[in-house]
Amino acid sequence: MGNVTITIDGQKVTVPQDYYIIQAAKEIGIDIPALCYDPNLEVAGACRLCLVEVEGWRKLETSCSTKVREGMVIYTESERVVNMRKEILQLLLDNHPNDCLTCQKAGECLLQQYAYRYDVKFREHDGARRPNYVDTSSPYILKDDSKCILCGKCVRTCAQVHDRKVLAFAGRGFDTRIVADGDFTLEESSCVSCNRCVVVCPVGALVDRRLLGKTRVWDSQIKGVKCKACDYGCNFEVISKKGKNIAVRAKAPSQGRPLCLKGRLTTEFIYLDEPETPYKKVNGKFVEASWKEALELDGIFEKLVEEEKKGVGAE
Amino acid sequence: MMTIQELNEIKERTLKTMELRLQKKDTGKHVLICGGPGCHSSNAGEIKEVFEEKIREKGLDDVKVTLAGCFGLCETGPNVEIYPEGIFYSRIKVEDIDKIVDSHLCKGEIVEELLYEGSIEDGNIKPVSEVDFYKKQVKIALRNCGIIDYENIDEYIALDGYQALAKVVLEMTPQEVIELMKEANLRGRGGAGFPAGRKWETAFKYPADQKYVICNADEGDPGAFMDRSILEGDPHSVLEAMAICGYAIGADQGFIYIRAEYPVAVHRLEVAIRQAREKGLLGKNIFGTDFNFDIELRLGAGAFVCGEGTALMESIEGKRGMPRPKIHRTAHRGLWGKPTIINNVETFANVPAIILKGADWFKSIGTEDSPGTKVFALGGKIKNTGLVEIPMGITLREIIFDIGGGIPNGKEFKAVQTGGPSGGCIPKEHLDTPVDFASLGKLGSIMGSGGMIVLDEDDCMVDIARFFLDFTVDESCGKCVPCREGTKRMLEILERIVNGEGTPEDLDRLESLAETITEGSLCGLGQTAANPVISTMKYFRDEYEAHVYEKRCPAGSCQALLEFFITEDCIGCTKCARNCPVSCIEGKVKERHVIDTGKCIKCGTCMEVCPVGAVIKR
């Protein structure tokens, strides 16, 4: 694979020729805003925020889906580009609840970050809005449709694990929604609470329910850990406040790592000072479970104790 | 397996049975009944059966009856032609058939009162070919529509059907086919006008173990039925062309992506594909060569956006029909990641004719930049609603007034909307614009797939823009932000304006939204969604301003803004006051009456009952 040299905002950079512009920009520390782009997911080109100007090209191009070409001269923050981003952000804010004060995502929300960066504000209008539907059926995931910006990352990440494919688009146009299976609640659906979708959601539409109300991101310390439940070793974060470990949350899955509920609970059990009651889905209903059940240690645990005893006796 | 000899034998044999309608023989009669979409739904099937029954009763052995594809003049359907004279009867009902059989078929006496009104001039009866509606038309894509029996492959073969396929697989290399197509410069009839030959060449040059040919038959513009008529009237022309394309690029599988709302076209295609397979014209070893090609149908589920190439492929792949970002050319990586050619129905229908008659012949029709013809579906405020095929380069005026017969009821022409929801409105000062890809684009409209909606003085341009935006908002797939959110906001503004609630800022907002949607959207649907607004704001800004500043609809069409008014012509007959359902009209006998506009519910009853036309909308 050959390399090409391009110029981004006046800086020259040499990158492999199969790079997208957004990747090349990242190499030299230029952060092009994007809500639907994720290097681990199939390119969607849906949010249009990453549009950039390429010298000599008539139209603006999305940097997430345009490959670099030798000699390209790119402007990522030209007036034309910035105006377009402002318009797009305004369209998103016009259809987004003004809930940043209490939204769990505040501080980590990409929409919030970009609105601040481009100085776009909420405004009053009497036009249509997304229906205010909140799915509270799952103890692990809170799905708030009114905050969804339809970037589709959740659908794409869910589809990456062969037997999941729970989330999908439904409806069309302004009425498009993300649904689980045939428009069921997360509890009724085949959702396995792996929280892959929560991890990739750029806004507060999918949040980790077990974090809700516990802390704000700027009030907490976050430490990365590896899950010990299986060989994949998925990444998790332990969140602590005032020296106490209060919550665990999944980190973005990559390199084929699947994330799963058992791993999450195992990590919670290992690290948290006061682990919350775990829930298991039994016949389409979430029911409280003991930690032994949740970690699937039934029988194994007793056997281990037996073995320990035997071992001690033999010595 | 079919050989060229057998193909020619079928041709000779079948031609003999078609001599009457081709006007090559003058003993006997041939009744041709239009089976196009309009006539089909207004009882053409029963008309055919009754004709056959009456003819049997009378023992007329030398009269043949055929249900053919669309004749084009939908306005006057159901249409019937009688050959060899080419007499054109229109608006035929089942009860009229006795008369036609008794006098025309038995005695040779034309039933004048049932003739198409345009076929009598100065007391003389003109054959159908001389009628104004047909005179200026040149038929390539529709060459067989209305002539052949669409469910009889032999009749297609009789009119040189599958000769082009035989010629390419037996006598030409793929490169030669591509060169010929490039030379002919056939531009995509789906709307964008990309040269088919260049597209084919791109796919041909890209090595792959599997390539595909797709026919885009997801015709969805409101009021457009060009492709439907071709598929229903001449399905084999599309099948033959797809096989030719397959040979040129090296594909052995084709798909026709057709909307499920076209059940008749689906059925006729199924019949045609079966017949072509039985004759060995599709399948393995076509004409004894090692060229294999087969075609399958894929039915769309009713989403307009699936007419967009990448969404169409997603849909064929079994996914939700949403456009893909254009990272690769479809001709390189299309369906299932393989080189794919997508052409629309009308584009394909031109191909066999080009192969047989050559690039020079094709280029002799139309203009240099846009050779050939274009099929349009004429609709709206026009006398001759229907389907026309015209050489590129003739003017909008010729299409609307000479072929279309102009505006009915003595009304004034206002604008013509071309290109459906992606197109724009062209006002009367541009009526002499030649119809070709570049000229319509310059005016802010597009050629589009061929919808042409004529508007008259009673049509409000803001409301027309609102109508098309309403369609786009409904059909946006919801994937990208500018289209999903932007078109909705635009529609909300337009709704405010037609309801008399628009503000001057709304006009600015419309313009900035139009720019964002056009420049920011992912696919062609979004990128062109604002065109109806942009073009009406460009040519009819005064109408927008009248709505916003004066709360007035100049066309008198926006219900919320109009006012009923009694002029000086009032004779004081009191009829309006007596009929008003809300008793808001006052006045003494023989004195001018007055409407209390505060109470008026704008039902229009006063206007209807006034004997002297003194009530007006303003």
Side-chain angles (χ1 to χ4, degrees), chain A residues 103-165:
Chain A
C103 182
Q104 184 67 34
K105 196 76 180 183
E108 294 179 304
C109 172
L110 279 183
L111 185 58
Q112 191 184 40
Q113 185 188 320
Y114 297 146
Y116 183 80
R117 175 165 157 188
Y118 291 100
D119 191 26
V120 182
K121 294 177 175 17
F122 283 114
R123 61 180 181 190
E124 294 285 315
H125 69 85
D126 38 10
R129 286 178 179 275
R130 298 182 63 74
N132 186 16
Y133 174 74
V134 186
D135 181 353
T136 54
S137 68
S138 163
Y140 299 106
I141 300 170
L142 187 80
K143 179 169 172 279
D144 184 347
D145 281 7
S146 69
K147 290 179 183 166
C148 177
I149 55 161
L150 296 165
C151 66
K153 275 184 189 171
C154 53
V155 176
R156 281 175 281 153
T157 196
C158 191
Q160 276 184 342
V161 183
H162 177 71
D163 55 355
R164 294 186 193 164
K165 288 192 180 166

Side-chain angles (χ1 to χ4, degrees), chain B residues 33 43-53 65-67 97 149:
Chain B
I33 299 157
N43 228 1
E46 193 189 343
I47 290 172
K48 181 192 180 218
E49 281 166 24
V50 176
F51 257 113
E52 283 173 334
E53 193 188 306
V65 180
T66 301
L67 197 57
I97 296 172
D149 172 354

Side-chain angles (χ1 to χ4, degrees), chain B residues 81-130:
Chain B
E81 292 171 1
I82 294 186
Y83 285 96
E85 312 93 301
I87 294 303
F88 191 34
Y89 290 112
S90 63
R91 297 198 170 86
I92 296 304
K93 293 190 227 45
V94 171
E95 8 347 336
D96 298 329
I97 296 172
D98 260 338
K99 215 180 274 174
I100 297 177
V101 173
D102 286 346
S103 73
H104 192 151
L105 297 181
C106 292
K107 299 178 206 148
E109 292 166 9
I110 293 166
V111 189
E112 286 201 28
E113 71 262 31
L114 296 175
L115 283 177
Y116 164 60
E117 55 267 29
S119 58
I120 306 173
E121 193 178 80
D122 306 331
N124 296 320
I125 296 168
K126 294 192 282 191
V128 59
S129 54
E130 291 300 312

